[in-house]
Tab-separated table of all heavy atoms in Angstrom:
chain	number	residue	atom	x	y	z
A	1	MET	N	-1.044	153.607	83.171
A	1	MET	CA	-0.103	154.608	83.895
A	1	MET	C	-0.966	155.637	84.581
A	1	MET	O	-1.938	156.273	83.919
A	1	MET	CB	0.785	155.335	82.950
A	1	MET	CG	1.738	154.410	82.150
A	1	MET	SD	3.148	153.924	83.246
A	1	MET	CE	3.779	152.526	82.325
A	5	GLN	N	-3.661	165.198	87.087
A	5	GLN	CA	-4.766	165.751	86.530
A	5	GLN	C	-4.501	166.648	85.256
A	5	GLN	O	-5.204	166.560	84.327
A	5	GLN	CB	-5.542	166.615	87.618
A	5	GLN	CG	-6.914	167.196	87.228
A	5	GLN	CD	-7.828	166.031	86.929
A	5	GLN	OE1	-7.965	165.077	87.732
A	5	GLN	NE2	-8.544	166.127	85.865
A	12	LYS	N	-6.700	164.639	77.030
A	12	LYS	CA	-8.078	164.617	76.473
A	12	LYS	C	-8.504	165.834	75.650
A	12	LYS	O	-8.892	165.645	74.533
A	12	LYS	CB	-9.061	164.584	77.726
A	12	LYS	CG	-10.298	163.790	77.568
A	12	LYS	CD	-10.932	163.455	78.861
A	12	LYS	CE	-11.806	164.552	79.288
A	12	LYS	NZ	-12.419	164.228	80.676
A	21	SER	N	-0.740	174.069	81.996
A	21	SER	CA	-0.587	173.377	83.279
A	21	SER	C	0.425	172.288	83.210
A	21	SER	O	1.147	171.987	84.279
A	21	SER	CB	-1.968	172.802	83.714
A	21	SER	OG	-2.913	173.763	83.690
A	23	VAL	N	3.118	172.343	81.438
A	23	VAL	CA	4.410	173.057	81.483
A	23	VAL	C	4.726	173.388	82.890
A	23	VAL	O	5.854	173.030	83.485
A	23	VAL	CB	4.445	174.227	80.548
A	23	VAL	CG1	5.700	174.962	80.766
A	23	VAL	CG2	4.248	173.837	79.156
A	30	LEU	N	12.163	168.858	84.437
A	30	LEU	CA	12.721	168.789	83.135
A	30	LEU	C	14.150	169.598	83.085
A	30	LEU	O	15.128	169.175	82.475
A	30	LEU	CB	11.786	169.161	81.970
A	30	LEU	CG	12.047	168.573	80.569
A	30	LEU	CD1	12.077	167.059	80.760
A	30	LEU	CD2	11.008	169.051	79.624
A	66	SER	N	4.469	154.666	78.624
A	66	SER	CA	5.307	155.174	79.765
A	66	SER	C	4.437	156.291	80.320
A	66	SER	O	3.567	156.739	79.846
A	66	SER	CB	6.627	155.616	79.211
A	66	SER	OG	6.390	156.723	78.433
A	68	PHE	N	3.919	160.114	81.151
A	68	PHE	CA	4.080	161.359	80.278
A	68	PHE	C	5.417	162.012	80.603
A	68	PHE	O	6.182	162.450	79.630
A	68	PHE	CB	2.874	162.388	80.456
A	68	PHE	CG	2.820	163.544	79.446
A	68	PHE	CD1	2.324	163.316	78.114
A	68	PHE	CD2	3.448	164.664	79.799
A	68	PHE	CE1	2.378	164.285	77.316
A	68	PHE	CE2	3.410	165.761	78.862
A	68	PHE	CZ	2.893	165.632	77.611
A	73	CYS	N	11.061	163.337	79.185
A	73	CYS	CA	12.480	163.215	79.415
A	73	CYS	C	13.105	162.590	78.209
A	73	CYS	O	14.264	162.968	77.838
A	73	CYS	CB	12.672	162.376	80.565
A	73	CYS	SG	12.398	163.228	82.093
A	80	SER	N	19.148	166.827	73.807
A	80	SER	CA	20.341	167.236	74.491
A	80	SER	C	21.468	166.472	73.926
A	80	SER	O	22.534	167.199	73.577
A	80	SER	CB	20.276	166.697	76.048
A	80	SER	OG	19.278	167.197	76.602
A	93	THR	N	34.048	172.970	84.319
A	93	THR	CA	34.566	174.093	85.188
A	93	THR	C	35.452	173.458	86.313
A	93	THR	O	35.334	172.322	86.694
A	93	THR	CB	33.376	174.720	85.895
A	93	THR	OG1	33.798	175.645	86.913
A	93	THR	CG2	32.475	173.728	86.542
A	100	GLU	N	27.611	178.122	92.019
A	100	GLU	CA	26.954	177.021	92.811
A	100	GLU	C	27.813	176.404	93.768
A	100	GLU	O	27.545	175.889	94.777
A	100	GLU	CB	26.249	176.095	91.820
A	100	GLU	CG	27.103	175.380	90.932
A	100	GLU	CD	26.926	176.045	89.595
A	100	GLU	OE1	26.803	177.282	89.522
A	100	GLU	OE2	27.020	175.293	88.620
A	108	ASN	N	24.563	174.643	104.786
A	108	ASN	CA	24.580	173.347	105.419
A	108	ASN	C	23.205	173.045	106.096
A	108	ASN	O	23.065	172.984	107.306
A	108	ASN	CB	25.633	173.379	106.458
A	108	ASN	CG	25.901	172.008	107.091
A	108	ASN	OD1	25.406	171.027	106.551
A	108	ASN	ND2	26.425	171.944	108.288
A	109	THR	N	22.255	172.900	105.175
A	109	THR	CA	20.874	172.485	105.768
A	109	THR	C	20.682	170.918	105.586
A	109	THR	O	21.459	170.301	104.819
A	109	THR	CB	19.819	173.241	104.899
A	109	THR	OG1	20.048	172.841	103.509
A	109	THR	CG2	19.921	174.772	105.071
A	111	ASP	N	18.806	169.096	103.899
A	111	ASP	CA	18.642	168.592	102.488
A	111	ASP	C	19.829	168.966	101.615
A	111	ASP	O	19.935	168.659	100.523
A	111	ASP	CB	17.305	168.984	101.867
A	111	ASP	CG	17.245	170.516	101.724
A	111	ASP	OD1	17.702	171.174	102.637
A	111	ASP	OD2	16.580	170.957	100.735
A	118	GLU	N	36.216	171.702	97.273
A	118	GLU	CA	37.149	171.093	96.500
A	118	GLU	C	36.450	169.740	95.957
A	118	GLU	O	36.628	169.411	94.826
A	118	GLU	CB	38.438	170.658	97.357
A	118	GLU	CG	39.504	170.099	96.477
A	118	GLU	CD	40.494	169.354	97.367
A	118	GLU	OE1	40.433	169.365	98.566
A	118	GLU	OE2	41.368	168.583	96.655
A	130	LEU	N	32.879	163.145	81.342
A	130	LEU	CA	32.293	161.959	80.912
A	130	LEU	C	31.673	162.235	79.561
A	130	LEU	O	31.088	163.346	79.268
A	130	LEU	CB	31.162	161.470	81.818
A	130	LEU	CG	31.514	160.878	83.144
A	130	LEU	CD1	30.203	160.490	83.833
A	130	LEU	CD2	32.227	159.525	82.849
A	136	ALA	N	24.527	160.908	80.986
A	136	ALA	CA	23.027	160.827	81.027
A	136	ALA	C	22.653	159.487	81.682
A	136	ALA	O	21.718	159.431	82.492
A	136	ALA	CB	22.458	160.846	79.616
A	151	ALA	N	15.042	154.081	82.462
A	151	ALA	CA	16.281	154.759	82.076
A	151	ALA	C	16.610	154.436	80.614
A	151	ALA	O	16.927	155.307	79.798
A	151	ALA	CB	17.456	154.504	83.008
A	162	LEU	N	22.490	150.124	78.420
A	162	LEU	CA	22.396	151.006	79.577
A	162	LEU	C	23.443	150.460	80.691
A	162	LEU	O	24.224	151.262	81.197
A	162	LEU	CB	21.041	150.992	80.095
A	162	LEU	CG	20.989	151.719	81.570
A	162	LEU	CD1	20.795	153.256	81.271
A	162	LEU	CD2	19.728	151.258	82.317
A	166	ILE	N	26.581	152.526	82.256
A	166	ILE	CA	26.734	152.780	83.686
A	166	ILE	C	28.077	152.199	84.194
A	166	ILE	O	28.746	152.882	84.937
A	166	ILE	CB	25.505	152.130	84.484
A	166	ILE	CG1	24.217	152.861	84.132
A	166	ILE	CG2	25.792	152.181	85.968
A	166	ILE	CD1	22.963	152.088	84.462
Side-chain angles (χ1 to χ4, degrees):
Chain A
M1 298 279 165
Q5 188 61 47
K12 213 160 84 184
S21 305
V23 175
L30 208 55
S66 67
F68 188 81
C73 285
S80 305
T93 175
E100 57 263 34
N108 185 21
T109 55
D111 63 325
E118 191 199 348
L130 284 176
L162 174 82
I166 293 166

